[in-house]
Structures are given as C-alpha cells and as structure tokens.
C-alpha cells in the first residue's frame, strides 16, 4: 500500500512552456501527475484517478474491512461489551470502511472524523489508520502532528474504558502507539519521496530553461560580435570608396593617370570589401569564429592598414615602438588593430586633409598603448552619415580584452582615441 497525494508541495514556475509529463501515467498517483503536469495544475481541475489509484483505493478498502472483521471476532468474544453496543459498533465500522473511498478528496476532514469514530468503534480502527496514513501523505507535518497526537493521547483512555480481553493493558497501549507512529512515519516518507520527485522535475525544467536562455544569449552575443566585426571591416573599405568616388565626382577634369589611380583604389577597395564580407558570412554560417585568418588581423598588419590609408590620400604618421609585433597576444593585437582602423576611418570622415598620428607603444608586463590623434580640420566639413556606434563598440571590445579606452576632443580642438590593453 502506498499513499495518495503530494498535497501542498511547492510549485516553481521556470519557463513559458515546460515539458509535459511523458512517463507511464497509469503507474503514478493522480495527485503526483497533477504536480508534474503543469497544464492540469494551472487549469485547477481535480486530478482523476489513475489505474494505480483504483487498485490502491480498493486495496485500502479491503484492508479496512479485514481489520474490521478481526475486530468483530474480538468484539463478540469480549465479555465487557454488551451485544447492542457490538451491533452499533459494527454498523459504525461498516460506514467507516465505506468512507475510505473519500480519503483523496477530504484527507484532513476524514482523519479528524475517524479519530472520533475509532474511539467509539473497534471495527473502525483499520479505516482510522488508513485515514491517518493518507493525512501524512497529503498534508504538511503540522496537521499530522495534531491529529496523530490526539490519536495517541486517546489510546490509554480507550483501553481503560474498553480493555482488551486477551492482551494486558500496557501491551495493548504500547502496540497501538507503536503502530500509529509507524503508520505516520511511513506516510511522511511517501510524502517526502513525492516532494523530491516534484523538486527534481522543477529543477530539470529550470535547467532546461536556463540552458535555452544561455543558448539565446550566446546567439545574441555572436550576432553582436559579427555586427561589430562587419562594422570594423567594411567601414574602412567603404570610406575609401566614398573618398575616391567623391574625388572623381568633383574633379571630372583630373589627369588620366590620377583618374586611373582613383579607379584602381575604388576597384581594389570594393574587391577587399566583398572578400571581407564573404569571409564574415562564412564565419557566421560555420558558427565558429576564425581567429587565425581574415577578417581577424593582428598588430603586424598595422603597416598595411596605414599604407592603404596613404594610398587613399590621407596623411598618416605611424610611430610603432613595439619591438616584435608578432609577440603581442592575438586578441590584444587584433583589438589594437581595430582601434587604429576605427580611428583612421573617423579621421577620414570628420577631419579630411589633416595629418593623423598613430602611436603604438608597450612591452610585456606594462601593457600596450594605442593612440590615434588628429588635429581639427581646416574649414567646414560636410556631414558624413554614420551611426556613432563605432567608438561604443571599441570601448566594449577593449573592456572585454581587459583594457580600457578613452576618446574625446583635445584642448587644441582635435580628436584623440587612446586605449590601454593588457599584455602579460
């Protein structure tokens, strides 16, 4: 015989759509399924008996009848009980056995009623024990303690009023008290086991929800990283296209050699932009970042970046004081390259014609310092469309690398981007 209902077990909401219970439903108690199946629990419907419930309830009924039948034999042979009282006792016992079928709906009320009934009827003892067991399974300990304590307190009085014909008074009292304690302990064990199952189920749902949230966060971070990479890579190329296309537009009478050079830069920049975009999309499809090749340059590629900017017509001064750029850690070198690239791109947009100074200094143990400075432009500069997210992305990139980035206008009216990156 096992118990019935988990009762007031804690219910934890861990997700929008938790998984339904998929085990053998007929093999579990209906109340446990009510806790494990969130749809039925949210609907507020009473749990319907499963096949196991019908078997258990019928077994409990037969057990109550069997205990009552044994009590009838002892009652008939007891000279201290009048015949009329024995008949009334049997009628009350039969009604108590029938009431066992209500134990799932009203466990507390039935247990309280059976406490009074069992004191007046020997044949209702089996039904009272089953009701007490159901209460221990279905309700918290405070209810069980009160009802069980009253039952135990009434045992000495019961055998004092109606002593057993075969057993001594003390033996009868001790036997019933121990039996009551065993029934209560068994019911509390069943309740604890069911609460453990519900807790494990909630924990599994919570783990699934957290795993889904972590996967969504990883996807979001990957998209943001790829978006920043596309901005860093393509902004430089497209700015070159814009500058040279603008030169061709405003100087239609330029010498053929200069026009051909500008067209070559436009073609080369467009080709590089398409190549970078193709590789970024390839990284996105593969789902794994490519830290070894394009478009993931390191500090050693800074000379190439400056050369491209000079070919585009910028005046760039590079002061690189790092003895071995290849010894710089890849993430630090890549971050430094992106900072210099974004600084050159912004200078080309907002301060055309000025001399941009790129300074890179540092050594292992002291860190790497990257500085991009440009003086204020001469004259009024036409508005260049932009999102303004480049420096925000650089700040985040430097922070993720363990460093810091500062940017702003200098006292002379120019603009400077200065970053420190750790180099262990």
């Amino acid at each position: 015989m096992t118990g019935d209902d988990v009762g007031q077990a804690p219910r934890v909401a861990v997700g929008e759509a938790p998984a339904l219970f998929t085990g053998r439903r007929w093999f579990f108690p209906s109340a446990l399924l009510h806790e494990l199946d969130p749809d039925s629990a949210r609907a507020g419907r009473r749990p319907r008996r499963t096949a196991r419930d019908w078997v258990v309830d019928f077994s409990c009924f037969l057990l109550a009848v069997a205990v009552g039948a044994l009590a009838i034999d002892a009652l008939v042979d007891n000279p201290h009980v009048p015949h009329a009282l024995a008949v009334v006792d049997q009628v009350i016992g039969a009604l108590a056995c029938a009431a066992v079928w209500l134990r799932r709906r009203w466990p507390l009320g039935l247990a309280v009623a059976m406490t009074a009934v069992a004191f007046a009827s020997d044949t209702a003892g089996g039904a009272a024990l089953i009701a007490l067991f159901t209460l221990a399974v279905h309700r918290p300990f405070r209810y069980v303690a009160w009802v069980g304590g009253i039952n135990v307190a009434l045992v000495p009085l019961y055998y004092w009023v109606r002593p057993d014909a075969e057993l001594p008074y003390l033996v009868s009292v001790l036997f019933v008290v121990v039996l009551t304690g065993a029934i209560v302990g068994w019911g509390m064990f069943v309740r604890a086991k069911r609460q453990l199952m519900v807790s494990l189920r909630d924990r599994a749902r919570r783990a699934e929800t957290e795993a889904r949230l972590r996967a969504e966060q990883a996807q979001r971070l990957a998209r943001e990283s790829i978006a920043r990479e596309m901005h860093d890579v393509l902004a430089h190329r497209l700015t070159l296209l814009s500058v040279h296309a603008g030169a061709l537009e405003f100087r239609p009478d330029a010498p053929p050699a200069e026009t051909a050079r500008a067209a070559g830069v436009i073609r080369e920049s467009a080709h590089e932009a398409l190549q970078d975009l193709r590789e970024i999309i390839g990284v996105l499809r593969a789902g794994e970042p490519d830290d070894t090749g394009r478009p993931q340059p390191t500090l050693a590629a800074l000379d190439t970046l400056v050369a491209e900017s000079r070919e585009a017509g910028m005046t760039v001064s590079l002061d690189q004081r790092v003895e071995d750029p290849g010894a710089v850690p890849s993430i630090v070198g890549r971050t430094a390259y992106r900072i210099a690239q974004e600084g050159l791109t912004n200078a080309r947009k907002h301060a055309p014609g000025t001399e941009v100074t790129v300074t890179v200094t540092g050594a292992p143990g002291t860190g790497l310092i990257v500085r991009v400075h440009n003086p204020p432009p001469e004259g009024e500069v036409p508005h260049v469309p932009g999102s303004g997210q480049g420096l925000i992305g650089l700040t985040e990139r430097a922070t993720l690398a363990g460093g810091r980035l500062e940017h702003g206008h200098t006292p002379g009216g120019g603009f400077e981007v200065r970053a420190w990156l750790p180099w262990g």
Side-chain angles (χ1 to χ4, degrees):
M1 179 179 66
T2 59
D4 319 308
D5 302 318
V6 177
Q8 298 173 351
R11 192 176 299 132
V12 181
V14 295
E16 293 294 332
L20 298 180
F21 182 78
T22 57
R24 298 179 179 178
R25 304 181 70 91
W26 61 269
F27 187 72
F28 289 85
S30 57
L32 186 60
L33 292 179
H34 194 64
E35 292 291 332
L36 296 179
D37 191 342
D39 286 345
S40 62
R42 283 195 294 265
R45 301 189 302 268
R46 285 189 62 253
R48 299 180 59 182
R49 284 188 175 95
T50 62
R52 176 196 173 280
D53 290 339
W54 285 104
V55 172
V56 171
D57 289 347
F58 191 71
S59 300
C60 291
F61 174 74
L62 292 181
L63 180 61
V65 171
V67 174
L70 295 176
I72 290 176
D73 291 339
L75 192 65
V76 173
D77 297 337
N78 194 338
H80 303 286
V81 180
H83 177 71
L85 182 60
V87 173
V88 174
D89 192 310
Q90 296 175 34
V91 173
I92 295 175
L95 294 177
C97 292
V100 169
W101 290 96
L102 303 176
R103 67 194 184 95
R104 294 182 183 275
R105 181 171 296 185
W106 299 299
L108 179 59
L110 182 63
V112 173
M114 287 296 105
T115 300
V117 170
F119 185 78
S121 172
D122 282 349
T123 54
L129 290 177
I130 293 174
L132 186 60
F133 174 80
T134 304
L135 179 66
V137 174
H138 190 72
R139 287 291 185 262
F141 176 73
R142 61 181 183 273
Y143 300 104
V144 183
W146 278 103
V147 178
I150 294 174
N151 275 272
V152 171
L154 291 177
V155 170
L157 180 61
Y158 175 83
Y159 281 103
W160 180 264
V161 176
R162 305 174 68 174
D164 193 279
E166 299 179 357
L167 298 176
Y169 172 77
L170 186 59
V171 174
S172 300
V173 171
L174 289 178
F175 175 75
V176 175
V177 169
V178 171
L179 180 61
T180 302
I183 291 297
V184 170
W186 186 11
M188 293 178 63
F189 171 75
V190 173
R191 173 179 172 82
K193 186 172 67 173
R194 294 186 177 183
Q195 286 182 329
L196 177 61
M197 292 181 63
V198 174
S199 176
L200 293 177
R201 186 71 174 182
D202 289 339
R203 190 174 302 175
R205 289 172 182 156
R206 188 181 298 109
E208 292 175 359
T209 302
E210 292 176 354
R212 185 173 64 252
L213 292 177
R214 285 195 299 269
E216 293 175 356
Q217 183 181 15
Q219 291 177 353
R220 179 176 58 82
L221 292 177
R223 294 190 186 102
E224 292 178 356
S225 176
I226 292 173
R228 288 194 299 267
E229 203 67 36
M230 293 180 68
H231 175 274
D232 294 340
V233 171
L234 297 181
H236 179 72
R237 307 293 183 189
L238 296 180
T239 303
L240 291 177
L241 288 174
S242 176
V243 169
H244 286 277
L248 291 179
E249 179 182 3
F250 289 103
R251 294 193 59 188
D253 56 344
E258 185 176 345
T259 302
R261 186 179 68 84
V265 173
I266 292 175
R267 179 187 58 80
E268 184 65 23
S269 299
H271 175 76
E272 294 290 339
L274 291 175
Q275 182 68 20
D276 291 340
L277 180 60
R278 185 180 300 111
E279 293 185 6
I280 291 175
I281 297 301
V283 172
L284 178 62
R285 290 176 177 175
E288 299 179 355
D290 182 10
D291 292 340
T292 58
R294 295 180 63 208
Q296 301 289 343
T298 60
L299 189 62
L302 190 58
D303 292 335
T304 305
L305 175 66
V306 172
E308 291 178 353
S309 300
R310 289 170 178 168
E311 291 181 0
M314 292 185 64
T315 303
V316 183
S317 174
L318 176 62
D319 183 11
Q320 181 167 294
R321 304 175 189 175
V322 179
E323 296 182 359
D324 186 9
V328 179
S330 60
I331 185 172
V332 176
R334 182 166 60 252
T335 305
Y337 179 92
R338 295 305 184 197
I339 292 172
Q341 185 182 53
E342 181 67 19
L344 291 174
T345 301
N346 289 338
R348 187 181 301 116
K349 288 181 180 179
H350 306 293
T354 61
E355 181 179 0
V356 184
T357 303
V358 180
T359 305
V360 181
T361 60
T366 61
L368 190 70
I369 298 177
V370 182
R371 178 176 173 269
V372 181
H373 174 266
N374 62 268
E378 298 179 359
E380 185 177 353
V381 179
H383 174 70
V384 179
S387 61
Q389 300 297 316
L391 292 176
I392 297 177
L394 285 182
T395 303
E396 182 181 359
R397 184 190 290 269
T399 302
L400 293 176
R404 57 184 180 271
L405 184 139
E406 300 174 353
H407 57 83
H409 292 279
T410 60
F415 194 85
E416 181 176 279
V417 177
R418 181 182 180 85
W420 176 87
L421 303 172
W423 184 0

